[in-house]
Amino acid sequence: MVKLTPPMGWNSWNTFGENINEKLIMETADAMAASGLVEKGYEYLVIDDCWSLKERDGEGRLVADPEKFPNGMKAVADYVHGKGLKFGMYSCAGTLTCAGYPGSFEHEFVDAETFARWGVDFLKYDYCYHSPIIHGKYLYRRMGLALENCGRDILFSACSWGADETHEWIKETGASMWRSTGDIFDTWESVKNLAKQQEKLHPYNGVGCFNDMDMLIVGMYGKGNVGLSGCNDVQYKTHFSLWALLGSPLMIGCDVRSMNEETKAILGNEEIIRINQDAACRQPVRLSGIWGGEDLLIYSRQLGNGELAIGLFNLRESAENLKFNLDELGLGYSTGKTLEMHEVWGGETFKVVNSTVARRLEPFACEVFRARVVDL
Ligand code: GLA
């Protein structure tokens, strides 16, 4: 499978952890469809860890836990497909999954075939309990091959957290996305840390295999499996904007059955999604800025239609000024050109008049612009 833009969807882990079952998955599929998120591009509904029994069956196959999934996984897949979504599941390159369920090590081909039989379209593949003597690249190559030979188009989502220099070998395994950071938690510190961890990895992001900054925490407000202190809506907006502009897959992690209006508006912002899904999939560039500094991020990304997406992110807890010069974008005064900037959250539009853009941002806030090259 060749995925041309960052995958979008929902994953059970952030909110539900091991508390997953057929009813939850079906209600989530209903909510994804009814809320309009499917139409906005959220395509995959993924069940994470803790779905199976602790033992394989007599033929060495994984078995869905009959208490959680009494009608089996095929029935769940059919239901999810009926709602216009694709269906995702989870396994691990080790002997056990991270939560201690059977992993796919030395069962790669039979497991890929089982997933295909159930109608699975996406496999998240974790890295816990992996062999200490076989390098990760061989384990991911193996599952990549198993998936490409299982008779069904299954998106391969690698989850080795950037360990063992994943960026150097992951593309060759057939993965369409790869976790380039550690696990997310529902705190502002976590968002900040993941954004920074990502910085040196931008050159590896691109069409066909996307850097995955982990599932979104937007709308969790501290509730659920990775919900700790939680964040506020300003912070969620900044988190979502960063993930989108930096080209990460957008996998929702909150309970979509009970989203409030603000959460729906953040996850459904079509301009932000459009930037994330831009067909050119170019790398974001971090600008130095004029008053740059720790935790004041300015990113620019050249879109396929000649526009730029520019994000200003104030990760500090105080109001701050962020400023940059158009020279950094290649648009020096001598070009006779400037930018017309349109802010996609607030709607403000203005033309840059003196080659510099200076904005004051509230604590934790961001501004994201679509900028068009125009005459001075
Ligand atoms: C690891 C992954 C998480 C999640 C859990 C499940 O920590 O990084 O995203 O899948 O395992 O146990």
Side-chain angles (χ1 to χ4, degrees), residues 102-158:
S104 289
F105 181 58
E106 295 194 327
H107 294 83
E108 291 85 357
F109 282 82
V110 70
D111 288 355
E113 192 196 288
T114 304
F115 292 131
R117 219 188 260 184
W118 287 343
V120 170
D121 309 294
F122 176 116
L123 181 70
K124 173 172 170 181
Y125 204 50
D126 221 328
Y127 199 44
C128 286
Y129 301 102
H130 62 87
S131 162
I133 47 175
I134 307 180
H135 193 282
K137 65 184 167 194
Y138 301 112
L139 301 175
Y140 280 87
R141 274 182 205 168
R142 205 188 271 186
M143 186 47 107
L145 267 177
L147 290 174
E148 290 199 335
N149 286 282
C150 73
R152 194 176 164 88
D153 223 1
I154 299 183
L155 187 153
F156 189 22
S157 165

Side-chain angles (χ1 to χ4, degrees), residues 155-342:
L155 187 153
F156 189 22
S157 165
C159 181
S160 57
W161 329 296
D164 299 332
E165 310 298 327
T166 313
H167 56 281
E168 289 179 1
W169 47 264
I170 196 63
K171 283 198 164 88
E172 68 211 29
T173 67
S176 296
M177 56 195 266
W178 65 285
R179 270 280 295 285
S180 50
T181 63
D183 282 15
I184 198 165
F185 293 91
D186 186 14
T187 67
W188 180 243
E189 274 311 303
S190 177
V191 168
K192 244 167 54 171
N193 287 340
L194 296 192
K196 286 184 192 168
Q197 279 179 36
Q198 186 60 28
E199 205 173 316
K200 59 182 183 311
L201 296 169
H202 295 313
Y204 299 94
N205 205 359
V207 179
C209 190
F210 300 94
N211 293 13
D212 173 10
M213 296 167 69
D214 206 358
M215 285 93 67
L216 301 165
I217 51 163
V218 178
M220 287 185 64
Y221 303 106
K223 289 202 278 294
N225 188 38
V226 306
L228 299 175
S229 53
C231 294
N232 61 38
D233 286 331
V234 173
Q235 294 169 330
Y236 286 142
K237 212 157 110 173
T238 297
H239 155 54
F240 186 66
S241 302
L242 263 170
W243 265 231
L245 185 62
L246 300 187
S248 175
L250 300 176
M251 302 297 289
I252 298 170
C254 69
D255 186 348
V256 288
R257 301 170 306 170
S258 56
M259 278 180 298
N260 65 20
E261 287 307 313
E262 188 62 20
T263 297
K264 227 186 273 181
I266 294 173
L267 295 172
N269 185 310
E270 288 175 11
E271 290 260 27
I272 297 282
I273 293 174
R274 199 136 64 91
I275 291 169
N276 177 257
Q277 295 290 303
D278 183 68
C281 296
R282 298 202 179 106
Q283 293 159 30
V285 177
R286 171 129 188 233
L287 307 186
S288 331
I290 295 170
W291 297 320
E294 184 77 356
D295 296 342
L296 299 178
L297 306 182
I298 307 176
Y299 271 107
S300 162
R301 204 170 122 190
Q302 205 164 314
L303 304 177
N305 64 352
E307 293 181 349
L308 295 165
I310 298 172
L312 309 185
F313 303 93
N314 176 15
L315 306 187
R316 295 188 188 165
E317 56 188 53
S318 48
E320 298 287 345
N321 297 310
L322 282 88
K323 186 172 173 183
F324 67 93
N325 196 295
L326 298 198
D327 279 318
E328 270 205 82
L329 302 169
L331 274 185
Y333 190 77
S334 61
T335 60
K337 301 286 178 186
T338 187
L339 290 179
E340 184 183 86
M341 316 248 304
H342 170 67

Side-chain angles (χ1 to χ4, degrees), residues 81-103:
H81 289 149
K83 292 286 162 180
L85 286 150
K86 292 187 172 144
F87 180 53
M89 289 191 70
Y90 165 100
S91 188
C92 185
T95 47
L96 296 173
T97 70
C98 296
Y101 293 79

